[in-house]
Amino acid sequence: MASTPVGNPRTRIHVISDVHGNVRDLARAGDGADALICLGDLVLFLDYADHSRGIFPDLFGAENADRIVELRTARRYEEAREFGTRLWSGIGTDRAAAIEKAVRKQYAEMFAAFPAPTYATYGNVDMPTLWPEYAGPGTTVLDGERVEIGGRVFGFVGGGLRTPMRTPYEIGDEEYAAKIEAVGEVDVLCTHIPPEVPELVYDTVARRFERGSRALLDAIRRTRPRYSLFGHVHQPLVRRMRIGATECVNVGHFAGSGRPWVLEW
């Protein structure tokens, strides 16, 4: 990580989200920055662009991955769940144990790649209970909490809201709103999911609206942070827009781009 040069008191922060197993680029994500911020989704369960990558195809093969992507893309979620249940019953392996073993392998690689300092919160596909085992002393995990970086206050809220996809860290609207409330007024509000604005939550490739947070949108309007930073929507209709005094930015699909979004002041 870069130190701040004498006589040039600028701070440079790199922000990433939706890492989804991209360890190679993660190892360089903090180059030239004073700190790295990660907005979650470290786990790669299934790569919708390359169905041969991820926990699901490792267990069941790319052909079955093709099929489940087809069902989910068509919003045939019940059929997708039934198909998945049949696959699990066919291999005779404890589902939770097999997934946890695969997630642990990914976490070991990704947390080892985090530079110091890193400030991170969970995505909706993450397993928060495992993070304390892998987060080293240079990584600070925050959820419903604040931290000061370079004289600015950053608030962090992790996870996603409940959807038919039933990903690991989806919580209820009230619980999510309580975490937003706990963060309070900050300079930079960092979340995994976007505020509930159609242009920010619509994925142009998946051709569906992802879930954004109404509580987050209300907090942006009420507390007026300088920035609202988030990820989750991989190919949004709009990556950046203003809501009142706040610049709202989707920092990008890091698994695909390999590039952090840069914040300097």
Side-chain angles (χ1 to χ4, degrees), residues 174-191:
E174 290 186 4
E175 183 180 351
Y176 193 89
K179 292 196 294 184
I180 292 287
E181 185 67 25
V183 165
E185 295 187 14
V186 295
D187 296 304
V188 184
L189 187 50
C190 300
T191 59

Side-chain angles (χ1 to χ4, degrees), residues 33-231:
D34 296 290
L36 177 71
I37 288 175
C38 179
L39 304 181
D41 271 9
L42 302 183
V43 173
L44 178 61
F45 190 75
L46 177 57
D47 188 335
Y48 278 62
D50 180 355
H51 303 168
S52 68
R53 297 182 63 244
I55 295 171
F56 189 93
D58 286 349
L59 290 168
F60 303 114
E63 188 174 316
N64 286 321
D66 290 341
R67 177 58 177 161
I68 205 157
V69 168
E70 178 187 356
L71 291 171
R72 288 178 175 176
T73 303
R75 299 176 178 81
R76 293 156 62 184
Y77 299 116
E78 192 59 41
E79 289 180 65
R81 280 193 289 272
E82 292 173 358
F83 179 66
T85 299
R86 289 198 301 273
L87 291 175
W88 281 105
S89 63
I91 66 171
T93 300
D94 179 79
R95 178 174 184 165
I99 291 175
E100 182 175 318
K101 180 180 178 181
V103 170
R104 283 182 177 278
K105 182 177 183 296
Q106 291 187 12
Y107 277 169
E109 295 173 349
M110 284 181 283
F111 277 94
F114 275 143
T118 291
Y119 302 90
T121 196
Y122 317 113
N124 61 292
V125 303
D126 285 312
M127 298 177 68
T129 56
L130 300 182
W131 280 37
E133 297 183 41
Y134 297 97
T139 299
T140 303
V141 180
L142 302 130
D143 189 16
E145 298 164 285
R146 302 147 55 103
V147 68
E148 184 178 313
I149 307 173
R152 289 188 177 180
V153 179
F154 288 69
F156 291 79
V157 174
L161 297 174
R162 293 196 176 109
T163 71
M165 302 287 281
R166 298 183 183 178
T167 52
Y169 192 44
E170 293 181 355
I171 61 177
D173 290 68
E174 290 186 4
E175 183 180 351
Y176 193 89
K179 292 196 294 184
I180 292 287
E181 185 67 25
V183 165
E185 295 187 14
V186 295
D187 296 304
V188 184
L189 187 50
C190 300
T191 59
H192 177 67
I193 62 175
E196 191 179 87
V197 177
E199 295 89 342
L200 297 176
V201 300
Y202 186 73
D203 191 305
T204 59
V205 174
R207 292 183 295 179
R208 65 168 179 255
F209 290 97
E210 303 290 355
R211 281 215 65 189
S213 169
R214 169 62 61 175
L216 173 57
L217 177 60
D218 291 344
I220 289 168
R221 289 171 170 162
R222 184 178 69 254
T223 65
R224 298 163 62 86
R226 294 172 185 258
Y227 291 94
S228 166
L229 306 180
F230 48 86

